[in-house]
Structure formats: C-alpha cells, structure tokens
Amino acid sequence: MERVIVSMQDPDMGIKMRNQRLLITVIPHAMTGRDIVDWLIQKYSITEEEALHTGNFLVKYGYIYPLKEPRNLCLKQDETPYRFQVYIHTIYLARKNIRKQGELIEYEKECYNALHKRINHTWDFVVMQAREQLRASKQRRKSDRIVLECQEQAFWLINRPPPGVMDILEEGPERRNGANTRVQLVSGILETCAVDIEHNRKSLGRNRIKSSICLESFVKYCEQYQDHDPIMQGCLPSNPWITDDIMYWNMNAEMVPMPTKLRVERWTFSFMELLNDPLGKKELLTYLEKEFSGTHTLHINTHIQWLAKVFIPLKRFHILQFLAPGASRWVNIDSKTMEKTLQGIKHPHRFVMDDAQMHIYFLMKKDSYPRYLKSELYKNLLARAVVPQETKKSVFPFMRRQRHSSPSPALVTQTAEDNGKAQPNTGKTNTGTAAQI
Amino acid sequence: MAAQEVQPSETIAKLKSESEALKTKLEEERAKLHDVELHQVAEKVEPLGQFVMKTRRTLKGHGNKVLCMDWCKDKRRIVSSSQDGKVIVWDAFTTNKEHAVTMPCTWVMACAYAPSGCAVACGGLDNKCSVYPLSLDKNENLAAKKKSVAMHTNYLSACSFTNSDMQILTSSGDGTCALWDVESGQLLQSFHGHAADVLCLDLAPSETGNTFVSGGCDKKANVWDMRSGQCIQSFETHESDINSVRYYPSGDAFASGSDDATCRLYDLRADREVAIYSKESIIFGASSVDFSISGRLLFGGYNDYTINVWDVLKGTRVSILFGHENRVSTLRVSPDGTAFCSGSWDHTLRVWA
C-alpha cells in the first residue's frame, strides 16, 4: 500500500494537487475523490469498481483523509477534497508493530523512507505557509484549521475505533516468523545448516524434467477436462446452484442405473478416474468376472484374501475393496512380494499391505484396464449412456424453485443402527428452520 | 594441552556459505532445464470468454469471523468454523444449519469433513485437533462424543483427513506437521523442516496417495513423503508468509497464496516455480486458493475482501468478484466443481457459481 501512496505523490506521474474548494474555503494541496479514482484506473489498468475499492482502503487505513465529513472514512468519487495524512509514519509503524514487532524488512524500509521524504516536503511547505500567515495576521487561516482538525479526527478514528466500528488494523493470532523467534542456540543453527546442506545435496541429484514437457502436460490436462468443468463449460441439465434444480446431482449419483456419457468417457482418462467412480469400479469387476469365469488362468492366492480380510477395516486404499472376501480370484502375486508381505504380517506395521497393493494396482493398470476399455461391455455402456437435455428456462424466471433437502450422509450409517428413529426430510421447503440445532 | 578449538561462529559461517553455494548450484541446475515459459506454451490455447459468477447462496449464522470451511463428499454440505469457537455443519443448498458445536477455545482456524460424511474435525488455539461424530439425534450432545486426536505445542492451523476416516494430517504454529490415527490418537509420523509456523497443507491426489505439501511463515513450501517423514522437495520464492497451498488436479503441480499479494504455481517434475499470478493493483495478501476441476482456473481469496479468478495457463486475471465485506479467509471448490464457497471475516459464507 505504501508503494501506491508513494506513486501517487510522485511530482511527475502522481496525482495533480490543486486548490480545492470546500464550501467557501479554499484548501491548497488537495485532490478530489474523482482524481484519485481516475489516477488508479489509469495507472493500474483496472475498472472503476476496482479503483473505488482500492481507493477506499487507502482512506480506511488512514493514508488519505477526507476534508469533508472526516468521521466517515470512505472514498467518494466526486468533488470531495482529500489530503495525504501527515501522521502517516505513525500509522505505518502501528500497522507493522502489530505483526512484526517494529522490525521493517528491507523493501519496506525503502518504501517508508521514500514516503517520509515526500511527506516531510509537503509538511514543511504547509508549516512555512502557516508561519507566514501568522506573521501577517495573528489569526490562523481557516483552511489550515479545517485541515488540521480533519487530520486529527481521521488519525484517531483509525487508531482508536469507536465501539461498533470495524477495526481496520486488526490481525489474526500472532505468527512467529524467522525474524522474531526466540534466540537460537548455536547448536540449533548448526543443525539447521547441516540439514539444509544435506537436503540441497540430495536435491541436486534428483531427476528433473524439461519445462517444455511439464508445461505441455498442463495444457493437455486442462483441455481434456474442460468439458468436465462445470464452472468453465456449465453442466447439463443445469447447475443446481444456479437453477435450484438438483437433477444434475440425481443423474450423477453414485449408483445410477444409467450413467451419463461424460461420466463414462471420463473413465478413459486414467485408471484412477475409473477406480474413483464406484460405478466404474463395479463395471470393471463385472468385466473381470465375466472374462475369467470358468477358467482358472489367474488365481488369487488365498493368503491375499486373508490379508484383505484383516486389513479392510483400515480402508486405506480403495484397491482393498477389490479384494473383498468372495471377490473373483483373478490376480496373482509374485512370490517375492508375497514373501515380503507375509514377513510384514508377523511384525505388522502400517504399510505392510502397500507392496502387495502396489503390485496388484500396477498390474491391473497395465493389463486389465486397457482391456476393459476395449471390451464390448464398456462400448455398450458408452453407447447407451445418457446425454441430459438442457433444462428449459422457467416460464416464470422470478419464481424460485423449491429447494429440496437431502438425507445427511450421517443418517445412512445411523439407520443401520436404529431403525426408524430419525426420519429423512422429503421434499419439503426448508428455508430458515434449522433441524438439529 | 588444550586442543585447538574452532570458534562456533566460524563453523556457522563456513556451513552457511556452503549451504548458500549449494543453493546457487541448485538454482543453476533447475534453470538449465527451463526452456520455455508457461504463458508461451499457452499462447495456442483459446482465451477464456466473459466470465460471470455470482453469489448463489449466503450462509448467515456465525457470530464472528469465519476462519475455515470444507465441503462434504455429497457436494452440498459444508462445515465451517469461526473465531467465536462455533463449528457449524450446513446443507449449503438449502442454507439450513444441521449441526452446531461450540469448541472450548476461540479462533478455530481449521476444520475438515470426514470422507464418509459422518464426522468433522476441528481445532485452533487449543493446540488440538478433535473429531466429532455427527449425530442426527436431537437429544444427543455432540460435544460429549468428542475425540481428541492431535496434540501440538502451538495453535492448529490446518487439518485434513487422508483418504479415510481413520487418519488425520495436521499442521501447526509449532512449525511441524503430523499424521495421527483417529481411533487411538496415536502419532503415526511427524514432519520437521519448517523454520516457522506452518499455515496450510494439502494432500496429493495421486494414485499412490502418500505425499502432501505444506506452506509456512518461513516462506517455504515443502513436499513431504508421508511414509518416511522426509521432505522431498522444497520451494522458496515467495516474499512473505504462505497462507494456502493447493494441488493442481493432476497432482503434478501445486499453487500457493501468500501475504506478498501473489499466487504462484510450482511444477513438481520440473522442480521449480513456473508461474506468478499478480497485478500491481493487488496490494493485499492472498489468504486461500483453489483450482477449478480442469485446473484452468485458479480462485484466490484476498485480504482486500475480493476474490480474483486467474487463468492458470495464460497467467492473466479473468475476473474479480466483489461481495464480502471483510477479508476472505477461506475458499474451496466443491467436490464436483459446480461451485465454490468462500468464508470471510464478515461472518458469512458465500457459494458462487
């Protein structure tokens, strides 16, 4: 913010200060609200709305104060005159003190010095003028009086906001940072240095990929998913948040009899996409069962089934659901992985299933997944998949649809425990009544 | 008789210069492979058209600043926490409040929805992360079933469930992150490496699912291996505290929002910063960032009460959204990408679409 103020006061590129009228008094070295907004628009290539918004902050933080209605700290885009606050350095330090205990870092120091220089010039000039007037007549000029009064009021409004008024200088809970933490022991510093060095050495050795390849992949990803991004392309039949119609959610519910085309297409993007969709996972399982029914080409080792039973409660990786007891036996694990896994079982740790899981996962990704995508089962599903119709605009667009509530996920497990105790809401309008509070 | 003792200050100076030399070499290596800028690659991409997003829902009910929020997997429910210690679960679609819990502390800076939708986790100045199972029984006192999971030695800044209800990842003002088992409250792994408060974290969406990124007051963003506890990559290009980190949907990059008024994109495979999202007219810090589903848009909530929408590929600002009357403190895109929700110090949450 200081940077902006410094720019504003630049004698060449800054705002032109003129004599401004306040009723019948003429105030020298002031600018109008209109001037401020126009300058911001021009300098930063922003819209009027944004310039007004930013300008308001300059006033609210006290860098500029109004000469009319000084209790109302906001920027008015009209002929209201404004001046730069001379108590600026005090406000600035107050702000910084709250966060960083008075320590100014390099670039802030620069800004502050530049600001101080500018303000001092203006202030000196005003003081000089005032002295002149005093010599000429014992009475201070009315304009000076008004200016001083407004200055003071604005300053105190910011530093001691009256009750009920927002405190613009408020920050969140105190954060420590490198600069103001407790004194570090020599041993601590040595340790941090050693760790840094080790880390940097390792980083030097890592494999990096050329930027052109990495960045190209982002372009491809964005392109691929563009149609699946409701905020970018909209969604069919309509975005529920905009039209209050939850058809989109119903059609894309976890287990629908007929999924949408977009959803089925998405399974071709990556193996992870297929597995992330419960419906996709179910389809894959169906395919595999069909493919291997009657043959014993691939045979799952019974030990793996037992492992799956033991570790399912952990639910740490969705692949486990594939290996649920009773699932088709269709994947083999090489003996080395098996041995390692069995060893792990003897001394269980969190990752004991990981190697086996990884192995199965990558086998499926390389083998079963591409075959599924080429299968008749998938192709048929894709052909039959639904493309929703866009919701026709309502005949009475100002009439809001009823917003239906949905059963809470917490309910799903509860009704399993106690039948009928909690009734799910069904399609009643719920505006404002809080059910459980 | 006395062995020649090297002055500790000498050793520190020597180590520091060695560290600096390595850092410079590292930057050189990284620069060698940087053959093109993101916006250059993006030149061939169609520019985005006019962008219209409006507030579609306003959630009123918190009595003080909203500090954090998270979506439920059902795409319409939300949990939010505020300075006055209240944690509220809403059906954002109908704007109904469904549950409310009062924490025994103020400044509840972190909250998260469990993947099952049956529990929420939250914490803040109490230095703990607690899990509350959501009960639909009107007579049941949610606070009674509370389970204390994480214990840090300073405030809790962020928390997230991993891919199940069983584990929680936390970050804290004590400079560490930690992985906990919900059932037993046991510490499974701790992550040391930040030199100051850790303010944010995000789990990688990768298939192997065992890395996460954290950002802190030491201006660093670190990528960690959850199994070993090691920091595998580190990025230090921001000029101030990093308030928010979020992975790009493919998991190959992540974005960060900082008090230096910029958001930046870091590529994990190229191992460098690849884009800066900033504008001279933006002078306030970014408090929270999130991507749209395709990763083309980056939404940033700022301390000047606005939300800036960035074109991730071209690096330009697409839109600025006004509406909040105080700082935007938290922002998340919904699980199916149909909308995003922002929470603010003006006590409200807004859903935009």
Side-chain angles (χ1 to χ4, degrees), chain A residues 50 53 211-212 229 361 406, chain B residues 34-35 77 207 294 304 317:
Chain A
E50 208 184 329
H53 187 84
S211 285
S212 46
D229 188 338
Y361 183 87
S406 72
Chain B
H34 191 56
D35 49 349
R77 280 175 173 79
E207 36 196 11
S294 63
D304 67 354
R317 185 180 64 185

Side-chain angles (χ1 to χ4, degrees), chain A residues 1 3-4 44-46 49-50 53-54 57 61 99 166 168 170-178 186 189-190 193 196-197 199-204 206-212 214-219 221-222 225-226 228-232 235 239-242 244 246 248-249 252 266 272 313-317 350-351 354 358 361-362 365 403-411 413-414 421 430 432-437, chain B residues 8 12 15-16 18-19 22-23 26 29-30 33-38 41 44-45 48 51 56-57 65 71-72 75-77 92-94 96-100 107 116-118 134 136-138 155 163-164 166 173-174 179 188 197 199 205-207 217 227 231-234 241 243 248-250 253 259 267 269-271 279-281 283-284 292-297 304-306 317 320 322 326-327 336-339 345 351 353:
Chain A
M1 219 183 301
R3 185 178 32 91
V4 176
Y44 296 117
S45 318
I46 52 182
E49 191 180 8
E50 208 184 329
H53 187 84
T54 309
F57 276 108
Y61 271 85
R99 281 291 288 280
M166 179 173 91
I168 199 113
E170 191 183 3
E171 304 271 344
E174 193 196 314
R175 296 176 182 176
R176 310 169 307 152
N177 58 27
V186 168
I189 301 178
L190 284 176
C193 271
D196 273 345
I197 289 175
H199 187 265
N200 285 334
R201 265 212 198 101
K202 271 205 197 132
S203 303
L204 271 175
R206 77 179 289 122
N207 274 332
R208 276 178 205 87
I209 301 184
K210 263 199 306 187
S211 285
S212 46
C214 301
L215 301 177
E216 192 60 50
S217 75
F218 294 140
V219 174
Y221 188 95
C222 288
Y225 279 83
Q226 186 159 317
H228 299 257
D229 188 338
I231 291 179
M232 296 254 309
C235 55
N239 188 323
W241 298 100
I242 300 177
D244 287 352
I246 60 172
Y248 178 75
W249 285 333
N252 286 292
R266 199 162 162 173
M272 202 167 75
L314 286 184
K315 274 200 210 159
R316 278 178 55 247
F317 197 56
R350 277 186 302 129
F351 307 108
D354 276 11
M358 280 299 128
Y361 183 87
F362 285 112
K365 180 176 171 182
R403 290 174 182 170
H404 298 248
S405 60
S406 72
S408 164
L411 174 65
T413 43
Q414 184 131 74
K421 206 174 182 186
N430 278 308
T433 51
Q436 307 302 329
I437 310 293
Chain B
I12 291 176
L15 278 181
K16 277 208 170 144
E18 195 183 334
S19 184
L22 274 174
K23 254 194 214 151
L26 190 57
E29 286 298 311
R30 281 173 165 172
L33 290 170
H34 191 56
D35 49 349
V36 72
E37 294 292 331
L38 181 54
V41 172
K44 59 180 183 223
V45 180
L48 294 172
F51 211 72
R56 305 289 173 175
R57 302 284 190 278
K65 311 178 175 67
W71 287 90
C72 174
K75 307 152 193 172
R76 48 190 284 174
R77 280 175 173 79
F93 189 69
T94 57
N96 281 355
K97 300 181 200 47
E98 293 191 343
H99 307 266
W107 289 92
S116 66
C118 299
L134 295 175
L136 287 169
D137 187 345
K138 256 192 225 171
Y155 63 87
N163 36 23
S164 78
M166 298 287 112
D174 66 12
L179 182 65
L188 298 172
D197 306 21
L199 298 178
S206 76
E207 36 196 11
C217 288
R227 279 185 69 159
C231 171
I232 45 187
Q233 270 173 293
S234 188
D241 304 0
N243 297 312
Y248 184 82
S250 71
D259 273 348
D267 185 317
R269 292 176 303 174
D271 190 34
K279 216 172 178 300
E280 264 206 322
S281 58
I283 52 184
F284 284 83
S292 69
I293 289 272
S294 63
R296 182 69 191 271
L297 300 171
D304 67 354
Y305 320 173
T306 66
R317 185 180 64 185
I320 178 169
F322 296 95
N326 205 325
R327 286 196 197 188
D336 63 352
T338 48
W345 281 19
V351 180

Side-chain angles (χ1 to χ4, degrees), chain A residues 84-124:
Chain A
F84 288 106
Q85 177 60 275
V86 294
Y87 292 119
I88 230 164
H89 52 285
T90 326
I91 292 182
Y92 180 83
L93 279 177
R95 265 183 80 211
K96 290 310 159 193
N97 270 332
I98 291 169
R99 281 291 288 280
K100 298 189 200 303
Q101 264 94 51
E103 260 192 54
L104 304 177
I105 55 185
E106 264 330 295
Y107 83 94
E108 284 179 336
K109 273 201 181 107
E110 272 172 44
C111 268
Y112 169 57
N113 286 332
L115 199 55
H116 195 75
K117 238 195 304 184
R118 294 256 164 79
I119 296 282
N120 276 343
H121 281 159
T122 332
W123 182 236
D124 285 345

Side-chain angles (χ1 to χ4, degrees), chain A residues 3-131:
Chain A
R3 185 178 32 91
V4 176
I5 295 287
V6 169
S7 302
M8 274 183 161
Q9 297 190 299
D10 186 282
D12 300 316
M13 299 300 286
I15 302 186
K16 298 281 175 268
M17 310 268 268
R18 293 184 289 271
N19 291 347
Q20 301 292 348
R21 294 204 89 82
L22 179 65
L23 296 180
I24 50 164
T25 328
V26 173
I27 313 257
H29 294 287
M31 52 201 165
T32 65
R34 181 80 244 175
D35 286 342
I36 297 175
V37 174
D38 285 344
W39 184 87
L40 284 170
I41 292 176
Q42 231 250 324
K43 167 102 174 138
Y44 296 117
S45 318
I46 52 182
T47 62
E48 190 163 318
E49 191 180 8
E50 208 184 329
L52 201 54
H53 187 84
T54 309
N56 244 310
F57 276 108
L58 296 175
V59 178
K60 286 217 154 50
Y61 271 85
Y63 289 101
I64 300 176
Y65 61 92
L67 292 163
K68 193 161 98 171
E69 291 169 49
R71 308 221 107 240
N72 183 11
L73 285 182
C74 68
L75 183 69
K76 289 215 184 104
Q77 201 182 336
D78 55 15
E79 299 308 306
T80 315
Y82 290 85
R83 265 268 190 99
F84 288 106
Q85 177 60 275
V86 294
Y87 292 119
I88 230 164
H89 52 285
T90 326
I91 292 182
Y92 180 83
L93 279 177
R95 265 183 80 211
K96 290 310 159 193
N97 270 332
I98 291 169
R99 281 291 288 280
K100 298 189 200 303
Q101 264 94 51
E103 260 192 54
L104 304 177
I105 55 185
E106 264 330 295
Y107 83 94
E108 284 179 336
K109 273 201 181 107
E110 272 172 44
C111 268
Y112 169 57
N113 286 332
L115 199 55
H116 195 75
K117 238 195 304 184
R118 294 256 164 79
I119 296 282
N120 276 343
H121 281 159
T122 332
W123 182 236
D124 285 345
F125 184 66
V126 171
V127 166
M128 214 169 60
Q129 271 212 322
R131 284 210 187 106

Side-chain angles (χ1 to χ4, degrees), chain A residues 376-393:
Chain A
E376 282 308 309
L377 188 67
Y378 176 75
K379 291 198 180 128
N380 281 336
L381 186 61
L382 187 60
R384 283 181 295 138
V386 181
V387 178
Q389 289 273 32
E390 183 171 0
T391 309
K392 291 208 182 73
K393 294 270 155 72

Side-chain angles (χ1 to χ4, degrees), chain B residues 58-348:
Chain B
T58 307
L59 304 179
K60 297 193 184 151
H62 275 292
N64 213 317
K65 311 178 175 67
V66 176
L67 302 173
C68 187
M69 57 83 42
D70 191 17
W71 287 90
C72 174
K73 287 228 157 74
D74 77 348
K75 307 152 193 172
R76 48 190 284 174
R77 280 175 173 79
I78 276 173
V79 62
S80 60
S81 63
S82 79
Q83 183 193 352
D84 61 1
K86 284 248 171 25
V87 175
I88 300 180
V89 174
W90 319 69
D91 177 347
F93 189 69
T94 57
T95 72
N96 281 355
K97 300 181 200 47
E98 293 191 343
H99 307 266
V101 173
T102 307
M103 295 275 287
C105 69
T106 58
W107 289 92
V108 185
M109 294 176 267
C111 64
Y113 225 119
S116 66
C118 299
V120 292
C122 49
L125 284 186
D126 58 349
N127 300 359
K128 295 194 247 175
C129 184
S130 315
V131 175
Y132 291 85
L134 295 175
S135 161
L136 287 169
D137 187 345
K138 256 192 225 171
N139 301 319
E140 191 145 20
N141 182 10
L142 277 186
K145 283 238 180 110
K146 156 176 154 181
K147 202 184 288 179
S148 235
V149 175
M151 284 282 291
H152 278 280
T153 53
N154 210 322
Y155 63 87
L156 190 83
S157 53
C159 65
S160 172
F161 285 86
T162 59
N163 36 23
S164 78
D165 283 20
M166 298 287 112
Q167 291 180 355
I168 284 189
L169 191 59
T170 59
S171 67
S172 162
D174 66 12
T176 70
C177 299
L179 182 65
W180 311 82
D181 177 83
V182 175
E183 195 57 49
S184 63
Q186 196 197 358
L187 171 67
L188 298 172
Q189 183 66 257
S190 68
F191 306 89
H192 296 261
H194 278 286
D197 306 21
V198 186
L199 298 178
C200 51
L201 59 83
D202 191 32
L203 278 147
S206 76
E207 36 196 11
T208 46
N210 50 16
T211 59
F212 73 95
V213 62
S214 66
C217 288
D218 57 357
K219 310 175 202 166
K220 284 209 202 135
N222 291 341
V223 181
W224 307 86
D225 178 325
M226 280 168 78
R227 279 185 69 159
S228 63
Q230 293 298 315
C231 171
I232 45 187
Q233 270 173 293
S234 188
F235 303 91
E236 192 175 352
T237 61
H238 269 293
E239 292 165 14
S240 187
D241 304 0
I242 298 180
N243 297 312
S244 169
V245 285
R246 193 74 64 208
Y247 271 94
Y248 184 82
S250 71
D252 291 327
F254 69 90
S256 58
S258 159
D259 273 348
D260 67 6
T262 69
C263 297
R264 296 176 197 234
L265 186 68
Y266 297 91
D267 185 317
L268 295 170
R269 292 176 303 174
D271 190 34
R272 59 178 293 125
E273 171 195 290
V274 291
I276 304 183
Y277 306 102
S278 68
K279 216 172 178 300
E280 264 206 322
S281 58
I282 299 179
I283 52 184
F284 284 83
S287 62
S288 52
V289 296
D290 203 358
F291 287 97
S292 69
I293 289 272
S294 63
R296 182 69 191 271
L297 300 171
L298 179 69
F299 300 100
Y302 288 72
N303 291 339
D304 67 354
Y305 320 173
T306 66
I307 294 165
N308 287 293
V309 185
W310 302 91
D311 179 333
V312 173
L313 300 179
K314 293 195 184 279
T316 55
R317 185 180 64 185
V318 171
S319 178
I320 178 169
L321 304 173
F322 296 95
H324 278 296
E325 290 160 18
N326 205 325
R327 286 196 197 188
V328 178
S329 53
T330 177
L331 189 158
R332 298 291 293 261
V333 172
S334 77
D336 63 352
T338 48
F340 72 86
C341 179
S342 58
S344 160
W345 281 19
D346 69 3
H347 310 190
T348 69

